[in-house]
Every structure is written in C-alpha cells, then in structure tokens.
Amino acid sequence: MKILVVYDSENGHTEALARSIYEGANSHPQSTVKLRHVSEADTSELVDMDAIIWGCPGHFGTISAGMKTWIDQLGYLWAKGKLMDKIGAVFCTTATVHGGIEATMLNLITPMLHQGMIIVGLPGNIPENALYGSYYGVGVTCPVEASRDDPPNLPSERDLALGRALGKRVATITGKMKHDRV
C-alpha cells in the first residue's frame, strides 16, 4: 500500500511530527511511505496513493497559508472523484495550549470529506492518546521560543509517540481496506 505524508512547517515543529508519522506508517510491513513538504508535493501523486496524511502548523485555529494553497489545488481531483474512498488523516502543531489544535484539524479534515475520503483519527483507547491526544488526529503544542535566536521547542517524545501511533493506525486501517477490496 502507498501512503503519502504531506506537511507544511515553518520552524521545524511540524516537520518533526510529520517524520514521526512517517516512521509509524513505515513500520507496517506492506507500506511504502513518502514524506513531502508542501513545496515539493505534487498533487497528481495523490491519485496513486491509498492513504494521505496531511498537516501543518495551526495559525489562530486554522490552516497555514502554505497548506491551504496546496489544498486549494485539489479541485481537478475532486471534479473527477480521484480521491474518493482513500484513507485520510491529519495532524498539526500550535504554539500555545488551547491554541486552536482541534479547530485546525477540523479545518484540515473538511477538504478530505469534500473529496470523499475516509477519515482515520486516533481513538482514546490507544495508550499514547488516552490522556494527551485528540480524536481528530494528532495535535501537539510546541511553546513559542523566547527569541528568534533560540533553538525550536520541538515536539516531545510523548508527542512523537502520538505521531508514530497515528501513522501506524493509518497503515493498519489502509491495509485492512485494501485487503477487503481485493
């Protein structure tokens, strides 16, 4: 099965989370996973994917400009139903607690629903998500650095474990869906 992880990242926070999702998806023995920054992601590549996971930093409860611009290019795929029944999942990072994580993820999910995709979240009974995550996908807080010269406050190991859990869950569900279609 083919899985694509697409992300926008401005200071490395979301990229680190995307890499953990990639690792989790790549841990499935039948998966081939690609990781792309939105500036390098070709929307035509989505047609060949079985699952698509996209994410970005949350900006005041909504999608980053880079991710929104990329998503806005998907109209031709929508018109032909090319993403229908593909697995989709989302992730984001924000700088503050209650900084709009779930609103951003819902904004990321909406275009997937318009495309006819099947959304996979992260249930609370998954140990990594029980007390810390969100059911909509993976959203983590990386506090704002005190100065632009400070190293980035990258996701913690607990955050990255959530990312790996989402990637693994998407790969597992995608594998089951592909098996059922055969």
Side-chain angles (χ1 to χ4, degrees), residues 18-165:
R19 289 186 182 284
S20 72
I21 293 166
Y22 167 88
E23 290 169 10
N26 207 36
S27 71
H28 191 285
Q30 280 93 32
S31 66
T32 301
V33 186
K34 296 179 181 182
L35 179 68
R36 300 267 194 276
H37 185 274
V38 290
S39 64
E40 302 166 342
D42 182 349
T43 57
S44 65
E45 189 175 24
L46 299 178
V47 174
D48 294 327
M49 295 298 132
D50 299 301
I52 304 156
I53 308 168
W54 63 48
C56 65
H59 289 200
F60 307 105
T62 195
I63 304 170
S64 68
M67 181 58 72
K68 178 72 168 99
T69 299
W70 185 79
I71 289 171
D72 284 347
Q73 297 174 43
L74 303 179
Y76 76 100
L77 296 173
W78 170 84
K80 294 185 178 185
K82 295 293 187 178
L83 302 184
M84 286 181 64
D85 298 331
K86 293 184 184 292
I87 300 296
V90 300
F91 61 98
C92 76
T93 60
T94 61
T96 59
V97 175
H98 307 296
I101 285 174
E102 289 187 342
T104 301
M105 285 192 284
L106 289 170
N107 282 310
L108 287 166
I109 287 170
T110 300
M112 290 181 166
L113 292 171
H114 280 256
Q115 293 283 350
M117 296 173 69
I118 301 164
I119 308 304
V120 172
L122 201 57
N125 65 346
I126 291 177
E128 295 88 351
N129 201 39
L131 296 174
Y132 186 63
S134 169
Y135 302 115
Y136 305 114
V138 173
V140 301
T141 302
C142 301
V144 174
E145 292 76 16
S147 156
R148 287 189 176 264
D149 298 326
D150 288 346
N153 291 321
L154 295 175
S156 69
E157 180 50 41
R158 186 168 65 174
D159 299 333
L160 298 176
L162 283 169
R164 287 188 293 274

Side-chain angles (χ1 to χ4, degrees), residues 7-10 12-20 35 37 91 93:
Y7 68 94
D8 188 18
S9 187
E10 296 151 358
H13 307 95
T14 312
E15 179 179 2
L17 185 56
R19 289 186 182 284
S20 72
L35 179 68
H37 185 274
F91 61 98
T93 60

